[in-house]
Amino acid sequence: MSDYSRVIAETLFDRCSDLIDLAEKADLKVMACLLHMARVEAELLRHKAKAAERLVACTGNATQHVIASI
């Protein structure tokens, strides 16, 4: 995943949080529940994006070490 994916996931998480607050204030319990589920999915996407970034960095470091040892 790229920085773009991470930003999208973070934006989704933030928007879900905002919408949950509004749904709870309007006493829309079912909508709030669905938004909580969407926020969990956005959180998972955030973690995947961060893990992908770490993997790319680790791969880059490994490549540099291999090239240096040749």
Side-chain angles (χ1 to χ4, degrees):
M1 293 185 147
S2 65
D3 285 339
Y4 179 75
S5 299
R6 182 182 47 78
V7 170
I8 294 295
E10 289 177 0
T11 301
L12 282 171
F13 182 85
D14 293 341
R15 296 298 177 262
C16 285
S17 296
D18 295 343
L19 290 171
I20 288 167
D21 291 341
L22 291 172
E24 288 175 347
K25 286 178 184 174
D27 201 29
L28 300 172
K29 294 182 188 333
V30 173
M31 183 59 74
C33 182
L34 292 172
L35 288 166
H36 276 289
M37 290 171 30
R39 187 171 63 178
V40 167
E41 290 296 325
E43 180 68 16
L44 290 172
L45 286 173
R46 282 174 34 178
H47 287 294
K48 285 181 183 179
K50 289 177 184 176
E53 288 172 5
R54 287 191 300 270
L55 181 61
V56 167
C58 189
T59 304
N61 288 340
T63 302
Q64 288 176 356
H65 287 299
V66 168
I67 291 171
S69 67
I70 294 177

